[in-house]
Amino acid sequence: MDKKNALRAGALAAGTTLMMLLMSSPALALTRDDGDDPGPGLSVGETLGLYVVAPLALFALIAGLVWVLDKSKDRQDPTSSNITVKGQAKAKA
C-alpha cells in the first residue's frame, strides 16, 4: 500500500470516528429517570472478582471436568500403531 492510499485510509478512519463521537448523544449519567433506583457501587476487589476471577475459575472448572471425565484413552492411529518394520539387508560376498 503506498503512502497516498495509507493517508486516505487513515483520514477516512479518523473522520468516521470523529463523526461517530460528535453524533452520539451524551450519556446523561447525572440525570435520574423515574423509577431509577441504583444499588451501591462495587469496590475494586468486587469488580475484579466478578469480571476476572469468576470467569477464569469457571473456565478452569469446565476444562478440568472435561479433562477428568474424558473416557477416550486410545488416541493413537490403530492402523499405524501395530505395524512392525524389520530391515532385511543381505550382505554381498
Side-chain angles (χ1 to χ4, degrees):
M1 185 189 266
D2 58 348
K3 287 183 180 180
K4 189 175 184 180
N5 285 340
L7 185 62
R8 184 179 296 155
L12 181 66
T16 304
T17 304
L18 183 64
M19 287 305 294
M20 293 288 268
L21 287 173
L22 290 174
M23 297 297 288
S24 63
S25 62
L28 300 173
L30 297 178
T31 305
R32 298 271 185 208
D33 290 332
D34 289 338
D36 189 14
D37 188 19
L42 296 176
S43 68
V44 174
E46 291 171 336
T47 303
L48 289 175
L50 183 63
Y51 294 109
V52 176
V53 175
L56 288 176
L58 187 61
F59 175 78
L61 176 71
I62 293 171
L65 286 173
V66 169
W67 180 61
V68 168
L69 299 175
D70 185 19
K71 298 293 183 191
S72 58
K73 300 294 182 195
D74 188 19
R75 294 279 184 191
Q76 295 178 353
D77 186 15
T79 59
S80 63
S81 62
N82 57 5
I83 295 175
T84 56
V85 178
K86 294 181 182 178
Q88 298 178 1
K90 294 183 180 182
K92 291 185 179 183

